[in-house]
Amino acid sequence: MLAKAVPTVPEPDSVRGGLRYEPKWDGFRGIVTVDGDSVEIGSRGAKPLTRYFPELVEAFRAQFGGRGHPVVLDGEVILRSGDPGAERLDWEALSQRIHPAASRIAKLSAETPAQFVAFDLLAADGEELLDLPFDERRSRLDVLSEDISDPLFVTRTTLDVDLAREWLTTFEGAGLDGVVAKPRAKPYEPNKRTMLKVKHHRTADVVAIGYRVHKSGTGVGSLLVGLYGDDGELRQVGGVSAFSDKRRVELVDELDRVVHRDADGRPVTGDGERSRFASGRDTSFVRLEPSLVLEVRYDQMEGDRFRHTVQFERWRPDREAASCRFDQLEVPTAYDLDDVLLSD
């Protein structure tokens, strides 16, 4: 079941039957099936994740494997880091867990163990529960999970919209990225955007440092952007994409005057970072002279990079590139992740 983005935390009576609110976890969505000693973890897109998280397989087997009937949970695989009392979600460490080498997986499972936060129950005690209202599924999840322990958790939930709005602000300090509102009376509807999600939205002025050609071979596929640090170094912080066909072509012309060229007038290219999720993808890009400033919309940072792809808002010809620094970014107040996980 998927979520539709909305700009603000909705009122509980905005949906027939009311809404129940949860923190929005920032990890790998996972559907977990436990049937005796058999444990399978599948991603939202049905990709198998089981081999990457042996510590979770062991925990699911120990805590749910002896029930005599399959248990199917919907939730999020997360990983936390930081000093005690100041832990937060760590997306970068979590993404490192997707590795082809079994020895590397075994090493990381011991050094950076993952956790699982359940937020829905799809089958238990010999029953499929998808047709039940969410409130009833949630109640069954609470009963089933009364005795679970770290690394398995159940997400907190509330019917209080004011508390949900407070979570939107405070829990960001622990690395969470918003709030989800779920219709209390609805069944579980796979592939439908029945849930509502509210994420943080901010703007920043950044420098255009390069672009990748669209996979069609025509126009700008993504625009690479950077910010200056205190040391005066310009660092890549993310990318802008989702341009229309027409806009992609227009951008090539708009950027032509700042394309970095060699002595023969040919565009200079660079090789970008490779993703472990798509290691074979072409990451080359056309270098741009760092002079154009644009305003982008983003939700949150992960270290010194934008956590997700950002959205183009407008060009800022009134800004100097050198003024686009990290210190313009809003930094959320720290909040200990344990205070989110270990709810009453």
Side-chain angles (χ1 to χ4, degrees), residues 39 122 159 208 344:
V39 177
L122 310 187
L159 302 178
D344 293 334

Side-chain angles (χ1 to χ4, degrees), residues 164-234:
R165 288 168 178 156
E166 181 182 324
W167 288 352
L168 182 65
T169 301
T170 57
F171 287 177
E172 185 185 12
L176 283 79
D177 66 352
V179 167
V180 176
K182 298 183 175 180
R184 300 173 61 186
K186 286 268 192 178
Y188 191 93
E189 299 179 288
N191 299 316
K192 291 188 177 181
R193 296 192 179 277
T194 305
M195 304 182 294
L196 305 173
K197 62 181 178 182
V198 186
K199 300 178 68 173
H200 309 101
H201 291 291
R202 302 177 173 89
T203 61
D205 292 329
V206 295
V207 184
I209 61 175
Y211 72 83
R212 293 195 177 104
V213 177
H214 188 259
K215 61 184 179 182
S216 67
T218 303
V220 172
S222 60
L223 186 61
L224 308 183
V225 298
L227 288 171
Y228 284 96
D230 291 337
D231 57 1
E233 182 180 349
L234 181 60

Side-chain angles (χ1 to χ4, degrees), residues 38 42 48 58 77 126 178 188 207 215 222 232 261 263 284 299 306 311 335 337:
S38 174
E58 181 180 337
V77 178
Y188 191 93
V207 184
K215 61 184 179 182
S222 60
R261 301 180 185 276
S284 62
D299 51 15
F306 294 121
Q311 287 78 50
Y335 193 93
L337 186 61

